[in-house]
Amino acid sequence: MEKNKHNSFGMGVGATSILMIFVLLCLVVFAMLSLVNANADKKLNDRLASRTKAYYSACDKAETLLEDVDCSLEQLYLENPEPEDYLVACLSYLNGAGGVAVPEEDGTGARFSFSVIISDEQHLSVVADVPKEPSAGGQYYTIKAWQTMARQVWEPDTKLPVMESEMPELLMPE
């Protein structure tokens, strides 16, 4: 009977060692997963920072071009106060302005557009209207669109790489 008194239920030294090794292994695995995740986040942040920098650089170029256009339109307005003369002078200037697409005329004024390259995949597209009768010292153009666009047309992949020989006999038409 005395033997049974001293036998108490408990974990031996071997079980404790195995448990410690398992806990240590779990910690190492979680540390590695955290390291991989942090590296992926850093790469994503670097790409995002690069794209953001390229976008704002393109915006800066667009603003500079718009500033040049605004100064020229103001000068044209001061030289040609009549609305028809001003519109003809604007169209003539915008046709020769570097980077500006061929302007279009409508009944209320003219519309011009230009684009600035952001990256290999995107460009910044700007569309602006020039009113026929601007106010002196006021706005000589109104921005109608300022958006990033893809430089290439997206074509969906509609092909399925399935060969006829791989199709089951029951589905094959005769």
Side-chain angles (χ1 to χ4, degrees):
M1 285 231 173
E2 286 187 32
K3 252 184 175 179
N4 287 342
K5 254 186 190 176
H6 295 291
N7 279 345
S8 62
F9 181 74
M11 292 174 47
V13 176
T16 307
S17 297
I18 290 174
L19 182 63
M20 282 302 280
I21 290 171
F22 178 73
V23 168
L24 187 61
L25 186 63
C26 287
L27 288 174
V28 169
V29 167
F30 288 139
M32 291 303 293
L33 288 173
S34 296
L35 183 64
V36 168
N37 191 25
N39 190 27
D41 284 346
K42 182 189 179 309
K43 288 179 183 177
L44 179 65
N45 285 336
D46 289 345
R47 280 187 297 182
L48 184 60
S50 174
R51 283 187 177 182
T52 302
K53 183 178 178 182
Y55 172 76
Y56 283 111
S57 176
C59 286
D60 186 45
K61 290 177 186 174
E63 289 286 344
T64 302
L65 183 61
L66 282 174
E67 183 182 0
D68 293 342
V69 168
D70 189 49
C71 290
S72 298
L73 291 178
E74 181 181 21
Q75 187 65 33
L76 289 173
Y77 181 72
L78 295 175
E79 293 172 2
N80 303 295
E82 293 298 317
E84 293 300 323
D85 295 339
Y86 172 68
L87 188 58
V88 169
C90 286
L91 289 170
S92 176
Y93 163 73
L94 291 171
N95 273 328
V100 176
V102 177
E104 305 167 3
E105 181 183 359
D106 59 8
T108 61
R111 175 171 281 188
F112 68 95
S113 63
F114 62 91
S115 65
V116 179
I117 295 172
I118 296 174
S119 67
D120 291 340
E121 297 104 17
Q122 291 181 325
H123 66 94
L124 177 66
S125 176
V126 179
V127 178
D129 284 344
V130 177
K132 195 181 228 182
E133 298 181 40
S135 58
Q139 271 188 310
Y140 294 98
Y141 64 88
T142 304
I143 296 174
K144 293 295 179 183
W146 185 285
Q147 60 187 5
T148 56
M149 300 181 76
R151 292 185 67 191
Q152 298 174 1
V153 177
W154 180 71
E155 295 180 22
D157 185 13
T158 58
K159 299 178 288 255
L160 289 174
V162 178
M163 298 179 66
E164 276 189 61
S165 63
E166 293 177 5
M167 295 179 72
E169 294 290 327
L170 299 173
L171 299 176
M172 294 289 291
E174 291 188 28

